[in-house]
Amino acid sequence: MTRLSFDHLTLWITAAASEHSHDLPGHVEERTGASRRAVLAALRRLTEAGWLKRSGSARRPVYGPGGLRQVARSYTLHGLQEDLPWQRDFAPHFDLPRHVERMIRHGFTELVNNAADHSGGSSVTVSLRQTPTHVQLLVSDDGIGVFDKICTAFSLEDPQHAMLELSKGRLTSSPDAHTGRGLFFSSQLADVFDIHANNTAYQRRAWESAGWRRGKALPRQGSSIYMAIALNTTRSLDAVMEAWSLAGDGIEFDQTRVQLRLLAGEGQPLDSRAQARRVGLRLTTFRRAEIDFEGVTDVGHGFTDELFRVFAKAHPQVELQPTNMTPRIAALVKSARAG
């Protein structure tokens, strides 16, 4: 007789409860091959744990999704249209605040589209979970890996440099078909955002001013991207987009932030012109760039001269706004600008 795995049941019981509310025991019995007794025991346990709600009479129970909800599905990437899985397989089974639903839908469709158009893989697995406090999305593909893809497309040598470019936004290897907004804005919408790809990981926490930092990588091929949003967040899709638009209307994505700690690492100096040129890479696609020195303890004359004099004079249309500088770094920047 088939044994029922509680963890496996949670992957599909939400959708089953929505679609088979009046005959859930029979559906689970037919789907799993387990005995009626085992199924009823499992449903009782799922109800007690918050995965199901039960109403109706003892002889004619009616089930529905509980406070805990989850749907996990896998798809072939070839020809996948990212809006259809959301509309058909996920959205009907969740109960989210409207502004949160809009943000997680944005992340869902953008991340699934990225997997379909950029990963070079054959399949993607998507899991969406709702708890009493958060909604959590995990999108995993079996492709080349996001950092390797960026390094190849932009002739970069290091996944750390790929993360630097990702963090700026407007990064795409297919400019004729994409604007490079999807992954960037998905990360800004989330309270927790993790990128894992081929033994490299970076994470962002909305409550930390430091922005992106190294994480503990998952040992797998391809990309896995996780985002979580608090159900009581005051954040909204419109507000996030407006924050990166100089006009404040969310139409243009024309300002960015460059985290210099992604270039050199925590506590490491920035002292070469080559490093400064990496900072300036693609900044001409923006009108304003915050150059964030948080975590950088020292810089060299060559770095500040290349960025704040050479680049600035060559591209006067780009406003460079340095922040979080030590007194010495501020003096070097001032000297370079006066040169």
Side-chain angles (χ1 to χ4, degrees):
M1 188 65 67
T2 302
R3 294 188 62 183
L4 294 176
S5 165
F6 183 86
D7 289 341
H8 184 261
L9 281 172
T10 63
L11 298 177
W12 54 267
I13 199 65
T14 296
S18 296
E19 297 165 356
H20 301 274
S21 59
H22 289 82
D23 63 338
L24 186 60
H27 172 74
V28 175
E29 188 176 352
E30 180 181 356
R31 179 166 177 167
T32 64
S35 68
R36 187 75 169 188
R37 181 178 180 180
V39 167
L40 292 176
L43 295 183
R44 183 166 56 251
R45 185 182 174 194
L46 287 164
T47 302
E48 292 170 351
W51 287 97
L52 293 173
K53 291 190 299 185
R54 175 175 166 158
S55 59
S57 66
R59 297 188 63 181
R60 293 186 176 181
V62 178
Y63 290 92
L68 292 172
R69 304 183 182 202
Q70 182 169 238
V71 174
R73 298 288 296 269
S74 294
Y75 303 94
T76 299
L77 283 173
H78 179 70
L80 180 63
Q81 300 178 58
E82 69 276 3
D83 62 321
L84 297 182
W86 172 261
Q87 295 172 5
R88 180 186 61 216
D89 301 329
F90 288 85
H93 308 304
F94 292 86
D95 183 20
L96 301 169
R98 186 173 180 180
H99 70 296
V100 174
E101 189 272 343
R102 189 181 181 204
M103 289 191 289
I104 204 68
R105 180 180 69 224
H106 181 90
F108 182 106
T109 55
E110 290 291 349
L111 297 180
V112 172
N113 177 260
N114 278 350
D117 288 358
H118 301 299
S119 74
S122 60
S123 66
V124 63
T125 298
V126 186
S127 173
L128 188 65
R129 174 182 286 206
Q130 179 180 344
T131 74
T133 59
H134 288 80
V135 59
Q136 304 161 338
L137 172 67
L138 178 65
V139 179
S140 300
D141 65 60
D142 60 355
I144 188 175
V146 61
F147 300 121
D148 287 3
K149 177 75 172 183
I150 293 169
C151 285
T152 299
F154 293 92
S155 300
L156 303 176
E157 299 293 332
D158 192 318
Q160 184 169 312
H161 299 161
M163 187 64 242
L164 176 68
E165 291 308 308
L166 265 180
S167 73
K168 296 175 186 176
R170 299 190 68 165
L171 181 73
T172 177
S173 57
S174 304
D176 291 338
H178 295 273
T179 62
R181 295 181 175 217
L183 189 60
F184 178 87
F185 280 109
S186 295
S187 72
Q188 299 297 313
L189 293 171
D191 291 288
V192 175
F193 199 89
D194 296 345
I195 304 176
H196 297 264
N198 300 350
N199 297 310
T200 299
Y202 283 90
Q203 59 187 38
R204 180 184 179 276
R205 304 293 182 260
W207 59 87
E208 295 179 353
S209 63
W212 290 99
R213 56 185 172 87
R214 281 271 191 177
K216 185 177 180 181
L218 298 174
R220 65 175 303 275
Q221 174 68 32
S223 300
S224 290
I225 300 178
Y226 170 84
M227 65 182 294
I229 302 174
L231 300 187
N232 65 353
T233 183
T234 58
R235 196 180 304 113
S236 70
L237 178 60
D238 288 341
V240 168
M241 291 190 169
E242 289 164 3
W244 296 94
S245 169
L246 281 175
D249 56 11
I251 304 300
E252 298 295 334
F253 178 16
D254 53 8
Q255 64 176 340
T256 188
R257 174 190 179 202
V258 183
Q259 292 180 235
L260 296 182
R261 65 192 299 171
L262 290 173
L263 182 61
E266 188 74 35
Q268 296 297 312
L270 294 169
D271 51 15
S272 74
R273 292 184 182 272
Q275 289 172 316
R277 286 191 288 270
R278 291 191 194 106
V279 174
L281 185 64
R282 298 188 312 104
L283 288 190
T284 54
T285 62
F286 300 94
R287 292 172 54 199
R288 183 181 185 273
E290 176 188 341
I291 309 300
D292 186 359
F293 283 88
E294 183 171 345
V296 177
T297 58
D298 198 11
V299 299
H301 288 273
F303 178 86
T304 53
D305 182 70
E306 183 70 28
L307 183 58
F308 292 100
R309 186 183 66 85
V310 177
F311 177 90
K313 285 188 176 181
H315 306 287
Q317 77 279 12
V318 182
E319 176 192 353
L320 301 181
Q321 182 62 50
T323 60
N324 297 315
M325 297 180 288
T326 66
R328 182 179 184 278
I329 292 175
L332 286 168
V333 170
K334 182 179 179 180
S335 175
R337 284 177 157 173

